Amino acid sequence: MYRRTRRAAITSLLVSSFVCGSAVVLAPAAGAAVPTASCTVTPNADGTAVTISGEGFTAPRKLNDGESTEDLNVDATGHFLLKRFQKNVDYTVLAVNEDQPFVFVNCKRVPAPTSPQATSPTQPGSRRDRAAGIAAGAKAGLAAAAKSCSTPPVADKSGQQHSDAYWNSWTQAANRAFQKACQNR
């Protein structure tokens, strides 16, 4: 019987402190804005890493990814920024001390930024860049062979700027196409 009475007293004390504590936390001061803390997870354009940023936090804080917890470097303004080579993981910012506001904040995922380089059809050194060089070189080699087999094709690099991979592929393809066309004459 003593155990039930004690359990009931502790339960009612916890419930009342939770209700009163929530009321104090939820009731803002007159005319004051309620500060908020937020955390976002942004994957990089190629999807190999994520950037975790937060604002509105008081130090010290910890970051939890479901498997491990590490200390966060929260600056004097309440911001932090961290890059991790993990993806598809949910992150939570945890309070270290009991008296800190926002005991835990789940980080919100935002879409990866789109960059013009990521959507470019020919990135320097990419397979597409080399393939474009091969196609243009083969065309130039056949055109040079049609004019004269005594003058090999020469790259005109004054127009568009391309990577070294493009020009190497262009030169090889132009020479191959030129030699093959001149041998068949």
Side-chain angles (χ1 to χ4, degrees):
M1 191 107 161
Y2 173 71
R3 185 176 275 181
R4 283 186 180 172
T5 307
R6 188 170 128 202
R7 186 178 300 158
I10 291 174
T11 303
S12 64
L13 180 64
L14 286 173
V15 168
S16 65
S17 67
F18 177 74
V19 170
C20 290
S22 295
V24 169
V25 170
L26 295 176
V34 178
T36 59
S38 65
C39 175
T40 58
V41 178
T42 309
N44 63 0
D46 62 4
T48 58
V50 293
T51 301
I52 306 159
S53 61
E55 60 183 18
F57 291 100
T58 54
R61 292 289 173 155
K62 292 191 178 281
L63 181 70
N64 182 288
D65 64 7
E67 295 178 7
S68 64
T69 302
E70 70 178 79
D71 292 333
L72 278 175
N73 187 12
V74 179
D75 65 14
T77 63
H79 293 82
F80 68 86
L81 184 65
L82 177 69
K83 186 172 183 175
R84 304 235 4 226
F85 294 101
Q86 286 180 303
K87 53 186 179 175
N88 301 326
V89 178
D90 295 322
Y91 294 94
T92 303
V93 177
L94 304 171
V96 175
N97 302 325
E98 293 177 14
D99 61 344
Q100 288 178 295
F102 312 112
V103 176
F104 69 92
V105 175
N106 291 323
C107 296
K108 198 180 293 184
R109 289 181 178 270
V110 294
T114 57
S115 68
Q117 288 183 347
T119 59
S120 173
T122 57
Q123 293 179 3
S126 69
R127 287 183 184 173
R128 285 185 173 176
D129 195 33
R130 286 189 293 269
I134 291 170
K139 190 183 229 184
L142 291 174
K147 287 182 184 177
S148 169
C149 282
S150 60
T151 308
V154 178
D156 180 18
K157 296 183 180 182
S158 64
Q160 297 179 358
Q161 290 193 2
H162 293 286
S163 68
D164 289 338
Y166 174 91
W167 290 117
N168 290 337
S169 299
W170 187 96
T171 303
Q172 291 174 0
N175 290 336
R176 256 186 268 131
F178 178 78
Q179 290 171 357
K180 195 173 197 179
C182 287
Q183 285 176 354
N184 292 337
R185 280 194 178 177

